[in-house]
């Protein structure tokens, strides 16, 4: 099956009991045993649930992995994956990454004896130089949030393979429609399904897809042991969203490209970050490994804090809100919102300035979106 068909037909066919074409919401905590030690495949919903399984199977197919696990949030997925490690292990992470991931590493996992080194993930020498005898994992964001840098996943996977390191790719921003990291040799893909996979700003969720059965089994064990799994209703919503992922992503990409081009020519814009622009430092690698450039556009505005505040207050169709990847266009200020948990000096080093604004381009009419930005910039 091709991607668009798989997005609709990977959940396991009609319900065997009723013929319902859509997987029902199995809103049950437990399952009755047929006899002592004999079940119909399910015993307790923390361990496994049929609605969750339908979602897990679908995401695994779309990412080209062996198996998937669905989690309550993207952070629950990440926290679970970090428990594959043990005290004293060292992780090499990208320095420009989602603020919540940075917080999980620095403010939570460090307390359990994990060590972290943050590097520029586009610098092979820097990655190799960071490897220590106790390094166990390399963590990347395939498109970084909020600077929209692109990681050469094949390069990272090949460095890791040579040293036997586990690779984890947060593939939230491209979604599997644009990029499938496992095909390049990555071991685990992580998602905030809150974003493009669900796509409708109405659920928080996470997922992990494993390249092989051994890893899948370890992730399933941790999900059950830690209780980080997703609820049946949330899984049902994400499954519903995934069916339109290809058509939504196509439009997100098209509209984001139009907005990036518009902003690049605007006199009140200092710099535009969009991997589909030829001016983007990773344009070539983005073109090589992805089927599109996603729906996020970041930019720096001329005029400092005053201009930033005025712009954020003047937009009408873009809503000032955290999150991304949904039908609604959103705008946010990383320094005070999604990346506020990063210390200011680290943000500065990475390049997340106070003048940076991040847009998630939704599915509204492109002319309405452009006009909204135009009028807000006029007042900025
Ligand atoms: C790239 C990325 N990864 C992970 C997360 C965390 O996901 P969640 O908010 O679903 O916990 C986010 C949230 O914004 C994100 O942008």
């Amino acid at each position: 099956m091709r991607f668009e068909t798989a997005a609709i037909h990977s959940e396991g066919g009609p319900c065997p009991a009723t013929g319902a074409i859509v997987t029902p919401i199995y809103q049950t905590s437990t399952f009755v045993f047929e006899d002592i030690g004999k079940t119909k495949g399910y015993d307790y919903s923390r361990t496994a649930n049929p609605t969750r399984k339908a979602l897990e199977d679908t995401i695994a197919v779309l990412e080209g992995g062996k198996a998937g696990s669905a989690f309550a949030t993207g952070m629950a997925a990440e926290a679970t994956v970090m428990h594959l490690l043990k005290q004293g292990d060292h992780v090499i992470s990208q320095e420009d990454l989602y603020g919540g991931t940075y917080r999980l590493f620095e403010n939570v996992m460090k307390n359990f004896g994990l060590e972290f080194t943050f590097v520029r993930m586009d610098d092979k020498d820097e990655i190799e130089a960071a490897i220590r005898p106790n390094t166990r994992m390399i963590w990347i964001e395939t498109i970084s949030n909020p600077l929209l840098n692109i990681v050469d996943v094949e390069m990272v996977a090949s460095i890791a393979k040579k040293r036997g390191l586990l690779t984890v790719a947060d593939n939230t921003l491209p979604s599997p429609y644009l990029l499938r990291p496992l095909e390049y040799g990555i071991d685990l893909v992580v998602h905030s399904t809150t974003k493009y996979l669900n796509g409708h700003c109405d659920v928080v969720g996470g997922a992990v897809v494993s390249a092989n059965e051994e890893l899948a089994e370890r992730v399933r064990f941790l999900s059950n042991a830690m209780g980080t799994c997703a609820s049946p209703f949330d899984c049902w919503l994400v499954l519903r969203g995934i069916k339109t992922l290809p058509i939504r992503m196509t439009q997100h990409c098209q509209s984001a490209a139009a907005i990036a081009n518009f902003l690049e020519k605007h006199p009140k814009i200092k710099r535009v970050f969009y991997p589909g622009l030829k001016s983007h430092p990773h344009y070539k690698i983005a073109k090589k490994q992805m089927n599109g450039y996603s729906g996020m556009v970041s930019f720096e505005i001329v005029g400092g804090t005053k201009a930033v505040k005025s712009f954020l207050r003047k937009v009408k169709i873009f809503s000032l809100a955290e999150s991304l990847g949904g039908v609604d266009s959103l705008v946010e200020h990383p320094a005070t919102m999604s990346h506020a948990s990063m210390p200011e000096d680290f943000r500065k080093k990475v390049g997340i300035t106070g003048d940076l604004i991040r847009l998630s381009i939704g599915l509204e009419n492109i002319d309405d979106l452009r006009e909204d930005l135009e009028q807000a910039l006029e007042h900025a």
Side-chain angles (χ1 to χ4, degrees):
M1 281 193 280
R2 291 167 180 82
F3 194 97
E4 292 79 357
T5 317
I8 295 168
H9 289 287
S10 301
E11 64 181 75
C15 166
T18 64
I21 195 161
V22 172
T23 303
I25 306 165
Y26 286 89
Q27 194 68 34
T28 182
S29 58
T30 195
F31 300 82
V32 178
F33 278 55
E34 291 181 319
D35 196 0
I36 298 163
K38 189 168 174 230
T39 67
K40 286 188 160 74
Y42 296 94
D43 54 24
Y44 188 58
S45 275
R46 170 162 40 76
T47 315
N49 173 283
T51 317
R52 195 162 79 234
K53 181 161 189 326
L55 172 62
E56 291 169 342
D57 290 350
T58 300
I59 298 181
V61 169
L62 298 186
E63 283 288 2
K66 191 72 186 167
S69 290
F71 293 89
T73 63
M75 292 317 302
E78 295 190 10
T80 305
V81 164
M82 293 316 289
H83 281 74
L84 291 167
L85 303 176
K86 60 178 192 329
Q87 191 179 16
D89 286 349
H90 173 244
V91 179
I92 298 172
S93 165
Q94 187 164 334
E95 61 181 14
D96 58 321
L97 80 171
Y98 170 55
T101 306
Y102 178 83
R103 178 175 55 200
L104 173 72
F105 292 173
E106 276 293 291
N107 301 349
V108 182
M109 300 316 301
K110 248 189 177 176
N111 297 338
F112 290 85
L114 293 186
E115 298 166 16
F116 293 88
T117 302
F118 296 92
V119 299
R120 280 190 59 125
M121 236 1 121
D122 59 357
D123 187 332
K124 191 167 184 269
D125 296 338
E126 199 176 324
I127 302 168
E128 283 179 331
I131 297 173
R132 304 180 192 163
N134 60 336
T135 305
R136 296 286 172 267
M137 178 187 281
I138 303 184
W139 183 289
I140 62 170
E141 274 181 20
T142 49
I143 302 181
S144 73
N145 179 6
L147 291 172
L148 311 181
N149 283 314
I150 305 294
V151 173
D152 182 339
V153 279
E154 198 167 22
M155 178 265 282
V156 171
S158 82
I159 293 173
K161 283 252 170 337
K162 270 187 239 150
R163 318 275 183 132
L165 309 178
L166 194 63
T167 41
V168 184
D170 182 335
N171 202 34
T172 299
L173 267 64
S175 90
Y177 186 60
L178 303 183
L179 175 66
R180 280 172 293 284
L182 302 180
E183 287 174 1
Y184 292 90
I186 295 291
D187 299 310
L188 289 162
V189 163
V190 168
H191 276 284
S192 167
T193 57
T194 313
K195 313 298 178 338
Y196 288 108
L197 283 168
N198 177 62
H200 290 75
C201 309
D202 52 11
V203 74
V204 286
V208 176
V209 179
S210 307
N212 60 59
E213 186 48 41
E214 190 206 328
L215 274 174
E217 190 44 47
R218 288 172 67 198
V219 173
R220 269 195 296 267
F221 169 81
L222 288 171
S223 170
N224 186 42
M226 295 168 68
T228 41
C229 60
S231 79
F233 181 56
D234 288 352
C235 290
W236 184 85
L237 280 171
V238 179
L239 254 182
R240 187 176 198 265
I242 283 177
K243 288 171 202 271
T244 55
L245 176 71
I247 199 155
R248 283 188 288 107
M249 282 318 285
T250 303
Q251 187 59 51
H252 283 301
C253 290
Q254 201 177 313
S255 296
I259 295 294
N261 280 311
F262 158 74
L263 290 173
E264 201 172 40
K265 293 189 195 91
H266 200 285
K268 288 205 175 152
I269 302 297
K270 243 194 288 181
R271 186 170 168 199
V272 180
F273 301 78
Y274 182 65
L277 288 175
K278 290 212 172 86
S279 56
H280 190 285
H282 305 134
Y283 172 72
K284 273 198 189 135
I285 182 66
K287 193 165 187 249
K288 187 177 143 219
Q289 73 187 15
M290 302 203 298
N291 301 322
Y293 307 102
S294 201
M296 304 297 297
V297 181
S298 297
F299 63 92
E300 283 174 343
I301 196 166
V302 176
T305 311
K306 198 163 162 258
V308 168
K309 283 188 177 165
S310 159
F311 175 84
L312 294 176
R313 286 179 180 139
K314 288 286 179 215
V315 279
K316 293 186 178 119
I317 295 174
F318 283 86
S319 301
L320 181 63
E322 306 259 9
S323 203
L324 59 100
V327 291
D328 298 69
S329 285
L330 304 178
V331 60
E332 72 116 13
H333 183 228
T336 57
M337 295 170 71
S338 59
H339 291 68
S341 54
M342 253 183 196
E344 195 179 347
D345 53 344
F346 191 80
R347 274 202 313 267
K348 218 181 227 172
K349 174 177 179 273
V350 171
I352 303 169
T353 67
D355 298 345
L356 186 74
I357 293 173
R358 190 192 77 185
L359 302 175
S360 174
I361 309 299
L363 300 183
E364 300 91 340
N365 183 287
I366 182 63
D367 293 333
D368 288 333
L369 294 179
R370 201 187 293 112
E371 282 166 23
D372 191 28
L373 296 176
E374 207 155 26
Q375 64 80 23
L377 282 168
E378 221 169 86
H379 294 98

